[in-house]
Amino acid sequence: MRLSQHPSDWAASFAAGPGYLSACTAGLPSDATVDAMQAFVARWAGGGLDARQLSRDAEEARSLYARIAGVPSDRVALGTQVSQLVSVVASGLPDGAEVLCAAGDFASLTHPFEQLRHRGVAVRYAPVAELADAIGPRTALVAFSLVQSASGEVADADAIRDAAAQAGARTLVDLTQSLGWLPRGAKGFDFTVCHAYKWLCAPRGTAFLTVRTGLEETLHPLAAGWYSADDVWSSCYAGHTPLAAGAGRFDLSPVWPVIGGTVAALRECLDRDPAAVHAHATGLAAAARARLGLPEALPGRESAIVTWADPEGSDLAALTAAGVTASGRAGNARIAFHLWNTEEDVDLVGRTLR
């Protein structure tokens, strides 16, 4: 049954009251997600842990994420951290390749490529707004976050993708700061990564990689284990360790305590109208920008994240003292609006800072 699309009903599903403006740091669990995680602990404590059921739950998480991201489920790999999954993509780069990244992007996306200097891999940076124009004939891969963590800037993904295709470069897009409020998934990109604990409101410990059909053979399963097969229960021991036919070959064994909570969160995400979520989050963010006297977002590039210069941290300190959970990144104060936020949060920020 589809959940109510009224924002006040969404807020009622989360225990936190007004003032939590930090989905860009960590999302909040809904009541259903909390119940799922507590149920796991109770079963575990009572000796009822069922590893095969947990494996089925992991497969449901894969399937749910695939639907959210808009790709077939065999294109999705399960992991625990974005950097681990980016490292898999990095394994497919030839010696001497150039990787183009967005300046100031999150380290989990860029760091794995920096560690390939011994193979002659060069990492070059350009502002995300100039990334499409910065792609050159030597560029093998363009890696960028669809929404920048430090600034909330939304990348012109179509322009970057088209320029990369023209240059023969592949694309790797981090959806961690976008998927869950921005209705743009993995389709059309060669690789994407996403940790589900921010805007998808899942517990920390479940991340996803998508691989375009045919590209799995260009990558190496750096941490292959018993969960890297299509039938995981027949590949537990040495002597029979086949790789999955699709992206599942890059799987890591799921983190058992959080997989049930991840399934609950992804189910709820699918039950909400993505356009309604986007309108709610960006509408509150636009109202906050107006209250703070900040420029409007570019049409079509509206963001749920609002940032402004706060080099001394005085605005962040004032927000914290007023009971607002916000964050500071790269000299900016940063607030974010998601399912549990209402106009009351906009008013609270406005009264505190203006």
Side-chain angles (χ1 to χ4, degrees), residues 14-226:
F14 298 87
Y20 189 83
L21 295 169
S22 202
C24 49
T25 300
L28 294 176
S30 71
D31 294 340
T33 298
V34 172
D35 289 345
M37 296 185 71
Q38 290 177 337
F40 168 83
V41 173
R43 287 194 300 273
W44 179 27
L49 188 149
D50 184 342
R52 289 183 179 271
Q53 181 58 51
L54 288 165
S55 182
R56 289 191 288 271
D57 291 343
E59 290 312 306
E60 182 176 1
R62 189 197 312 274
S63 176
L64 291 167
Y65 182 81
R67 290 170 61 191
I68 294 168
V71 296
S73 59
D74 70 342
R75 297 295 91 211
V76 177
L78 301 174
T80 60
Q81 303 293 334
V82 161
S83 56
Q84 170 257 326
L85 298 173
V86 172
S87 295
V88 172
V89 177
S91 75
L93 289 170
D95 292 350
E98 177 187 272
V99 180
L100 178 63
C101 296
D105 214 329
F106 200 73
S108 293
L109 182 60
T110 64
H111 212 319
F113 301 114
E114 295 280 7
Q115 303 314 306
L116 299 181
R117 296 187 189 92
H118 65 287
R119 293 208 285 111
V121 172
V123 181
R124 188 163 57 88
Y125 292 93
V128 68
E130 302 172 14
L131 214 53
D133 292 335
I135 298 171
R138 292 189 59 248
T139 306
L141 180 74
V142 186
F144 64 99
S145 293
L146 186 55
V147 174
Q148 292 294 299
S149 172
S151 67
E153 182 178 359
V154 180
D156 188 347
D158 289 337
I160 298 169
R161 180 199 59 199
D162 293 347
Q166 187 172 2
R170 291 174 179 159
T171 49
L172 166 62
V173 183
D174 189 342
L175 304 176
T176 301
Q177 288 290 8
S178 60
L179 200 59
W181 71 265
L182 182 63
R184 176 69 182 265
K187 188 176 181 180
F189 303 117
D190 294 309
F191 311 104
T192 70
V193 290
C194 180
H195 202 302
Y197 78 105
K198 293 184 185 282
W199 301 91
L200 292 172
C201 302
R204 185 172 171 89
T206 307
F208 299 93
L209 165 72
T210 69
V211 180
R212 184 166 60 82
T213 301
L215 292 184
E216 60 268 24
E217 297 293 345
T218 69
L219 309 180
H220 302 285
L222 298 178
W226 72 285

